[in-house]
């Protein structure tokens, strides 16, 4: 019988199969939040944010809501008190639960989910792991972020494949689905093997019509042999936790996102969802600790492990901040309790209210489309005659936390989320009247 990594580690006292008692603290919170459960005041009170500050930089890093925070502390205390045995009792069960929760949220089998530390890790693992060769090409855009561009550069350096960048629009606030889709399809060549895009641009807040792009690429692929088909990869982090859309509805092959932004998950956690053909097109980069077949093959001296690629096989091994990974399930549970449709509706309502308020200022130029079909929670803008860094600095004098998009052409970004309210929008509008 093949020995699995879990069996060996159990025998060596490092990890095991024993199930601990349920450590969920969701129903046993020491302090009940304010308001009716599920109401927006109740949601707001789940966060230990400084109350006198308007926090509108969700798209950078999240504050942990109470159920996530308490789960982390529960696991941290257990690890600190008895690290080896607590790890033995909980690691396999809670890691599997986190993968299952991510799969349920995205509508895919958990075997198609890889657990990572961030969006950056997920993109790097996927794009540098692509099975490409000289003569193949990856198509991306000038609008994508550094992480996509740098991962593709490293991929090209390793494989000899080419990378080509195109522009999708002249003005993101005025673009259309037809313009974006047609520019992508027109740019696809016989050598194109991957289209690498971003769901919601972190510079302008433009939300790409990913489902329409995927449908157009399916038509392209219908005329191609299986080995020549075009894959679709998405940096999904700024739609993940906002939009009420799952992996299958988007229609992409690679979905990479961090969980510590709009999902309000534990800091230092992320996921990758991969389609069946995506798993065939990419190879793991870092040894897995969660695929027993790989470890068994090593023990037995086999040249390679049996079976095809999987999400667990794509999951980087190594010892992690386990208390954060294990608390990931609570973040998904919180979104289910609030309701994904309600989260999307509330985020869009606040973002639209903010865009409407900004549009009333003659000295403010909105960069994010006002149509919610082409935007999510990021709201980008410029103030005439004032550098974005200066705008952010002045907003902080009003205790409003904004950020600057780290691009060659910077913009001010405000990102209302379910932890904000209408009064926050009013404070931002009032502060900008003194700036613009």
């Amino acid at each position: 019988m093949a020995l699995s990594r879990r069996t060996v580690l159990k025998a060596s006292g490092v990890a095991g199969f024993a199930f601990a008692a349920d450590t969920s603290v969701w129903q046993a919170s020491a302090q009940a939040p304010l308001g009716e459960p599920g109401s927006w005041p109740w949601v707001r009170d789940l966060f230990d944010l400084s109350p006198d500050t308007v926090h509108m930089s969700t798209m950078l890093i999240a504050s942990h809501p109470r159920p996530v925070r308490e789960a982390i502390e529960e696991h941290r205390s257990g690890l600190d008190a008895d690290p080896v045995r607590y790890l033995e009792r909980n690691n396999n069960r809670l890691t599997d639960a986190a993968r299952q929760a991510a799969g349920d949220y995205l509508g895919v089998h958990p075997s198609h989910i890889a657990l990572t530390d961030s969006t950056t890790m997920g993109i790097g693992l996927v794009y540098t792991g692509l099975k490409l060769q000289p003569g193949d090409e990856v198509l991306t855009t000038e609008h994508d972020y550094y992480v996509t561009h740098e991962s593709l550069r490293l991929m090209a350096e390793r494989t000899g494949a080419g990378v080509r960048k195109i522009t999708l629009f002249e003005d993101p606030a005025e673009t259309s689905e037809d313009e974006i889709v047609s520019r992508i399809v027109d740019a696809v060549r016989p050598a194109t093997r991957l289209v690498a895009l971003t769901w919601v641009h972190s510079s302008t807040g433009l939300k790409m019509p990913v489902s329409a792009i995927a449908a157009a690429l399916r038509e392209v692929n219908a005329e191609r042999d299986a080995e020549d088909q075009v894959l679709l990869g998405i940096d999904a982090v700024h739609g993940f936790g906002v939009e009420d859309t799952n992996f299958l509805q988007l229609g992409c092959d690679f979905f990479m996102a961090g969980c510590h932004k709009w999902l309000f998950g534990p800091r230092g956690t992320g996921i990758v969802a991969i389609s069946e053909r995506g798993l065939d097109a990419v190879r793991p980069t870092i040894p897995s600790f969660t695929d027993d077949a790989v470890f068994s093959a090593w023990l037995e001296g086999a040249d390679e492990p049996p079976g095809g690629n999987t999400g667990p096989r794509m999951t980087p091994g190594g010892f992690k901040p386990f208390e954060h990974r294990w608390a990931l399930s609570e973040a998904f549970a919180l979104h289910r309790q609030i309701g994904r449709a309600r989260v999307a509706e509330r985020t869009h309502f606040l973002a639209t209210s903010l865009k409407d308020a900004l549009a009333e200022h003659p000295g403010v130029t909105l960069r994010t489309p006002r149509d919610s079909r082409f935007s999510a929670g990021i709201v980008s803008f410029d103030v005439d005659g004032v550098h974005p860094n200066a705008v952010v600095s002045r907003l902080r004098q009003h205790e409003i936390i904004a950020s600057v998009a780290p691009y060659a052409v910077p913009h001010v970004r405000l990102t209302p989320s379910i932890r904000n309210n209408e009064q926050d929008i009013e404070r931002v509008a009032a502060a900008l009247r003194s700036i613009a």
Side-chain angles (χ1 to χ4, degrees), residues 341-354:
R342 291 185 67 231
V343 169
E345 181 181 17
R346 178 65 172 178
T347 306
H348 278 274
F349 167 74
L350 292 171
T352 298
S353 298
L354 178 58

Side-chain angles (χ1 to χ4, degrees), residues 37-292:
S39 68
W40 299 121
W42 176 87
V43 170
R44 184 179 176 88
D45 191 57
L46 292 174
F47 297 88
D48 275 352
L49 293 162
S50 49
D52 297 329
T53 302
V54 175
H55 297 272
M56 283 203 186
S57 284
T58 305
M59 51 83 59
L60 290 174
I61 189 166
S63 168
H64 292 150
R66 184 170 293 114
V68 172
R69 187 170 65 247
E70 292 181 347
I72 291 171
E73 185 53 40
E74 178 83 6
H75 298 315
R76 179 183 292 122
S77 296
L79 285 167
D80 286 343
D82 192 356
V84 171
R85 285 187 293 191
Y86 194 86
L87 187 67
E88 289 176 352
R89 289 194 300 268
N90 291 287
N91 187 29
N92 297 334
R93 177 177 66 88
L94 294 178
T95 298
D96 290 345
R99 181 178 285 106
Q100 181 70 57
D104 290 345
Y105 186 89
L106 289 175
V108 298
H109 192 274
S111 64
H112 287 254
I113 297 291
L115 300 177
T116 68
D117 297 351
S118 62
T119 312
T120 299
M121 176 182 280
I123 291 174
L125 289 171
V126 168
Y127 291 165
T128 60
L130 288 168
K131 300 175 183 178
L132 298 179
Q133 57 190 357
D136 291 337
E137 176 191 83
V138 173
L139 181 67
T140 189
T141 80
E142 298 285 353
H143 318 289
D144 286 277
Y145 185 50
Y146 158 80
V147 170
T148 291
H149 288 168
E150 180 64 5
S151 294
L152 293 178
R153 185 188 70 81
L154 294 171
M155 174 278 300
E157 200 174 68
R158 180 182 63 80
T159 65
V163 178
R164 187 160 49 93
K165 301 173 186 175
I166 62 172
T167 58
L168 298 178
F169 42 76
E170 301 305 321
D171 182 353
E174 300 296 333
T175 192
S176 67
E177 180 179 298
D178 287 344
E179 180 182 31
I180 291 172
V181 174
S182 63
R183 288 202 184 192
I184 291 171
V185 173
D186 290 348
V188 171
R189 296 174 177 172
T192 305
R193 297 291 176 266
L194 172 75
V195 174
L197 303 173
T198 298
W199 191 1
V200 180
H201 291 178
S202 59
S203 55
T204 63
L206 168 72
K207 182 174 70 179
M208 295 277 281
V210 174
S211 297
I213 295 166
L217 290 178
R218 283 195 294 272
E219 294 184 8
V220 172
N221 286 332
E223 305 297 324
R224 296 188 174 203
D225 294 335
E227 64 271 14
D228 296 329
Q229 293 196 349
V230 184
L231 298 164
L232 178 58
I234 300 295
D235 173 345
V237 69
H238 295 304
F240 179 56
V242 175
E243 302 299 330
D244 187 20
T245 305
N246 66 30
F247 179 71
L248 297 179
Q249 290 166 334
L250 282 175
C252 57
D253 294 288
F254 305 109
F255 177 108
M256 292 79 72
C259 299
H260 44 246
K261 297 182 186 287
W262 302 90
L263 188 74
F264 305 111
R267 291 184 283 272
T269 59
I271 62 165
V272 179
I274 311 175
S275 71
E276 195 65 47
R277 66 175 185 169
L279 286 170
D280 291 338
V282 70
R283 59 172 61 86
T285 300
I286 299 174
S288 170
F289 278 17
T290 55
D291 188 316
D292 291 341

Side-chain angles (χ1 to χ4, degrees), residues 341-382:
R342 291 185 67 231
V343 169
E345 181 181 17
R346 178 65 172 178
T347 306
H348 278 274
F349 167 74
L350 292 171
T352 298
S353 298
L354 178 58
K355 287 184 286 186
D356 289 346
L358 293 174
E360 293 178 357
H361 292 284
V364 172
T365 302
L366 193 61
R367 299 301 180 186
T368 305
R370 295 186 70 176
D371 188 337
S372 62
R373 293 177 301 169
F374 299 102
S375 65
I378 297 175
V379 178
S380 296
F381 63 96
D382 297 319

